């Protein structure tokens, strides 16, 4: 399996809802990432997990809560989101060493989130 | 601080014409640079990394440290090259700094 998978593909939620995004990879990668991407804009890094530990949090609001239950899974828990949080949420993974030494990040297809 | 600059937001070329996407970077150390591509309704994927010095789908990119550039070139554009292209700089462990992106349209 050489792909990063994400579920669901689409999610519509109200501002009072609690939902979760799921990401999975079976490539043996030990770094996993959450990005937020608005239309026609580059991805913005949100969180990085390295060896199942949170190593980077780019000052993301607490209404976004990441979780890495094991080396293959990454979740993003959502609560009390705002309409401006509507975006494509991308998950990525990379081999040990991250983006250095020519190691690439492998991206999932994303979850299209709409907050009403 | 803006690490990666892609000056062209949109680029339109005719099929068979050469295409060049500009990328300039700002980085004090030895840069690790990448080009990523996002085709319509497909996931973001790596196209090229400077360290490999390879040609993928006819595209090449050369790192010019003197001009701090990593421009992407293809001598003969194809319609399937129409996509959004992002230049990216590896700033540190795990952090990729993306440029604003260039949308390429190849006309028949």
């Amino acid at each position: 399996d050489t792909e990063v998978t994400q579920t669901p593909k689409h999610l519509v939620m109200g501002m009072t809802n609690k939902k979760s995004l799921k990401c999975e990879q079976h490539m043996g990668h030990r770094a996993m990432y959450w990005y937020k991407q608005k239309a026609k804009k580059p991805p913005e890094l949100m969180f990085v997990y390295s060896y199942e530990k949170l190593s980077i949090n780019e000052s993301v609001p607490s209404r976004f809560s990441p979780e890495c239950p094991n080396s293959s899974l990454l979740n993003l828990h959502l609560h009390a989101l705002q309409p401006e949080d509507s975006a494509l949420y991308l998950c990525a993974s990379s081999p040990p060493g991250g983006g250095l030494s020519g190691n690439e990040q492998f991206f999932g297809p994303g979850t299209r989130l709409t907050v009403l | 601080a803006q690490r990666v600059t892609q000056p062209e937001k949109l680029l339109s070329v005719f099929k068979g014409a050469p295409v060049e996407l500009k990328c300039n970077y700002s980085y004090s150390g030895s840069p690790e640079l990448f080009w990523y591509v996002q085709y319509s309704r497909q996931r973001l994927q790596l196209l090229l990394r400077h360290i490999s010095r390879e040609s993928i789908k006819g595209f090449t990119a050369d790192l010019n440290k003197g001009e701090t550039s990593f421009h992407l070139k293809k001598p003969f554009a194809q319609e399937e090259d129409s996509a959004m292209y992002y230049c990216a700089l590896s700033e540190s462990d795990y952090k990729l700094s993306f440029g604003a992106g260039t949308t390429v349209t190849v006309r028949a």
Side-chain angles (χ1 to χ4, degrees), chain A residues 3-4 31 33 35 37 40-43 45 48 50 55-56 58 97-105 107-109, chain B residues 9 27 32 34 36 38 42-46 49 51-52 84 86 90-96 98-101 103:
Chain A
E3 280 196 341
V4 175
Y33 311 73
Y35 287 87
Q37 187 179 28
K40 302 292 186 187
K41 298 290 185 185
L45 183 64
V48 180
S50 173
S55 62
I56 297 176
E58 291 286 273
L100 296 181
S101 304
N103 286 325
E104 65 180 285
Q105 292 188 17
F107 285 84
Chain B
K9 197 169 182 178
Y27 192 67
E32 298 285 344
F34 306 83
Y36 278 82
Q38 196 166 27
Q42 292 189 31
R43 66 184 69 200
L44 189 63
Q45 57 189 283
L46 179 72
R49 58 195 127 186
I51 199 168
S52 331
M84 172 73 92
Y86 293 103
S90 181
E91 291 192 45
S92 63
D93 281 355
Y94 311 120
K95 286 192 79 168
L96 276 181
F98 287 91
T103 300

Side-chain angles (χ1 to χ4, degrees), chain B residues 51-68:
Chain B
I51 199 168
S52 331
R53 302 184 64 81
E54 57 200 344
S55 172
I56 302 290
K57 299 185 179 182
F59 284 97
T60 59
D62 289 318
L63 177 62
N64 185 324
K65 290 186 180 180
E67 295 182 358
T68 60

Side-chain angles (χ1 to χ4, degrees), chain A residues 46-86:
Chain A
M46 299 174 72
F47 303 103
V48 180
Y49 273 82
S50 173
Y51 293 88
E52 294 112 74
K53 287 186 173 24
L54 183 65
S55 62
I56 297 176
N57 176 344
E58 291 286 273
S59 304
V60 179
S62 59
R63 57 186 184 269
F64 294 91
S65 175
E67 180 197 18
C68 190
N70 59 56
S71 60
S72 300
L73 278 175
L74 185 66
N75 298 320
L76 186 63
H77 303 298
L78 314 171
H79 174 53
L81 294 193
Q82 305 296 310
E84 58 266 27
D85 296 322
S86 298

